Amino acid sequence: MYDVVIIGSGCAGLTAAIYAARANLKPLVIDGHEPGGQLSLTTMVENFPGFPDGILGPELIENMRKQAKRFGAEFKAGVVNEADLTKRPFKITAGKDVYETKTLIVAAGASARMLGLENERKLLGYGVSTCATCDGFFFRGKPIAVVGGGDSAMEEANFLTRYASKVYLIHRRSEFRASKIMIDRVRANEKVEIVTPAIVEDILGHGTGAVEGVRLRHPETNAIRDIKLDGVFVAIGHTPNTTAFRGKIETDANGYLIASNGSKTTIPGVFVAGDVQDHRYRQAVTAAGSGCMAALDAEKFLEEHSAESASFESARQSSAAVPAPAN
Ligand code: NAP
C-alpha cells in the first residue's frame, strides 16, 4: 500500500512527486497517456523561473523526473481507468494493475484539442502551438494565425498582436461562440484579419521543420485559399483528463475538477493539482506550484490520520498471516 499515489507526470504531478518523496512518503507516479504532459510537446520554455537562457520543455520535464527519482519516487507506465474512492485506502486501477493508497493526488492534466491534421502534430513546437502566453514571443514581427471561435481564440488573437505583424483569426463558421465583448475587441484590433467561414485543410511546412502557411477551404464553395504565415495557434479548447473520476470528484460545468482550500476535494485524502483543475492560468509554473500544494496537503492529511494508517497496516499484516485454506 502506498502513502501517496500521483496520477499524471506533467509539471504538477512531478512537483508533487518531488515534495512527497523528499517527505519520505515514497510516492508512486502513474505516468498517464501523455508522459511528461504538455511540456513534453513543446520546444523552448522561456518563462519558467530559474532558466535565464530558457530550457527545452522535454529537458525540463526529464530534470523534474530525475529529481523526484533521486528522493525515492517510483514511476509506473499506465493509464488510470478506474478509481474506487468510496473508502480509504483508495483503489486505483491502471489496466491490469491495481494500487492501494492512503492518499491520492490527481494531476492528470488537460489536453489541448487539436484539429487532427498530420502536419499539426509534426510541427507542434515548430511553429504550431497551443499556448499563446508560452510561445507568442517567438513570433515577433511575423504573420500568424489563430484557429477557433471561442473566448480563448479571441483572447489569444488580441494578445498575439503584441508580437505578431498580423494575426489571421480563422474560424470554421461565420458566427462566433465567443462573448460579444471579446469579439468586439478583436474586430476593433487593426492587426487582426477575420477569415470566416474557413476550414483549415492543411498546415503547410513542406518538410522544412517550420510553418510556412495554411491551406483553407470554404465549407460551402470548397474554394481553396493559401495564406503565407509563420505560426499557427490552435485555440479550439481543452479537455480535462477526468474520465476515471466522472461522478466521483466534483467538477465544474466544463468538466474541470474543483479544488478548494488549497488542493482539497470533497473527498478527504484526495487532492488535485495542475491543469486538471485549472482552465484559467495553465502555466508550467502555476501547475508546479499547485503540485507542491497538493503534496503538502497530502503530507498533512497523513499526519492527521496516522492512527488510521496504522490500522491499515495491521489489517494488511493480519490478512497476510492467515494461512491459505486447504483444498
Ligand atoms: P470553446 O468555447 O469550447 O470554443 C471552442 C471553439 O473552437 C469553438 O468556436 C469551436 O467551433 C471551435 N472548434 C472546436 N473544435 C474544432 C475543430 N475540430 N475544428 C475547428 N474548430 C473547432 O473553448 P474555449 O474558447 O477554449 O473556451 C472554454 C471556456 O473557457 C468557455 O467557457 C469560455 O467562455 C471560457 N474562457 C473565458 C475567457 C475569458 O472570459 N477571458 C477566456 C478564455 C476562455 P464551433 O463554435 O463551430 O463549435
Side-chain angles (χ1 to χ4, degrees):
M1 187 185 320
Y2 290 90
D3 280 327
V4 185
V5 165
I6 298 166
I7 300 176
S9 56
C11 222
L14 293 179
T15 306
I18 292 166
Y19 272 78
R22 273 194 92 238
N24 249 343
L25 296 174
K26 296 190 171 37
L28 169 71
V29 181
I30 304 174
D31 268 338
H33 67 90
E34 225 171 62
Q38 294 192 56
L39 272 187
S40 62
L41 303 174
T42 190
T43 47
M44 192 54 83
V45 179
E46 289 189 325
N47 54 8
F48 199 89
F51 299 93
D53 301 319
I55 181 166
L56 290 169
E59 193 184 341
L60 179 58
I61 277 296
E62 192 47 38
N63 286 349
M64 290 186 191
R65 209 175 163 96
K66 275 191 202 147
Q67 201 174 346
K69 275 188 183 162
R70 185 181 143 217
F71 295 114
E74 187 185 335
F75 285 82
K76 291 260 163 106
V79 176
V80 171
N81 52 316
E82 179 58 37
D84 181 357
L85 309 179
T86 51
K87 58 181 187 308
R88 291 194 297 276
F90 305 121
K91 269 204 179 101
I92 308 300
T93 308
K96 288 186 192 139
D97 300 319
V98 181
Y99 307 101
E100 282 193 330
T101 182
K102 297 171 198 166
T103 66
L104 178 69
I105 296 176
V106 183
S111 303
R113 279 186 220 136
M114 304 301 287
L115 297 165
L117 303 168
E118 200 184 325
N119 263 353
E120 180 188 40
R121 266 279 154 200
K122 277 191 194 158
L123 295 169
L124 194 61
Y126 298 90
V128 175
S129 170
T130 55
C131 177
T133 316
C134 319
D135 298 329
F137 194 73
F138 299 118
F139 295 92
R140 271 164 297 170
K142 294 179 175 171
I144 57 168
V146 171
V147 184
D151 282 331
S152 296
M154 301 300 146
E155 195 166 72
E156 299 210 347
N158 255 333
F159 172 78
L160 288 165
T161 57
R162 289 186 200 181
Y163 308 106
S165 56
K166 176 161 187 161
V167 175
Y168 294 93
L169 178 71
I170 300 167
H171 180 40
R172 61 185 177 185
R173 295 186 296 134
S174 299
E175 302 75 36
F176 290 111
R177 183 183 292 264
S179 48
K180 188 177 175 309
I181 186 165
M182 305 282 271
I183 301 168
D184 289 346
R185 275 186 209 146
V186 164
R187 288 198 202 283
N189 191 326
E190 285 175 358
K191 282 172 96 179
V192 180
E193 180 178 330
I194 294 174
V195 185
T196 62
I199 292 171
V200 181
E201 284 281 285
D202 201 2
I203 297 176
L204 308 174
H206 302 300
T208 55
V211 168
E212 293 177 353
V214 283
R215 176 154 300 158
L216 306 179
R217 178 174 61 81
H218 192 289
E220 284 121 43
T221 65
N222 284 330
I224 296 287
R225 172 186 175 192
D226 286 357
I227 301 178
K228 279 184 78 171
L229 42 76
D230 292 299
V232 177
F233 286 81
V234 181
I236 60 173
H238 284 76
T239 308
N241 301 317
T242 54
T243 316
F245 310 103
R246 227 164 264 162
K248 295 173 185 169
I249 304 178
E250 204 185 343
T251 63
D252 67 14
N254 294 316
Y256 287 84
L257 303 183
I258 295 176
S260 65
N261 194 10
S263 67
K264 292 186 183 121
T265 66
T266 47
I267 305 174
V270 177
F271 306 93
V272 291
D275 287 10
V276 78
Q277 51 89 54
D278 170 24
H279 57 82
R280 182 161 176 204
Y281 298 105
R282 295 191 191 124
Q283 298 302 299
V285 70
T286 50
S290 68
C292 158
M293 287 159 63
L296 294 179
D297 286 343
E299 190 185 346
K300 182 107 195 330
F301 180 91
L302 287 165
E303 264 168 36
E304 287 168 357
H305 293 76
S306 54
E308 180 187 82
S309 290
S311 77
F312 288 158
E313 281 309 318
S314 70
R316 201 173 58 84
Q317 278 168 18
S318 57
S319 73
V322 173
N327 286 332

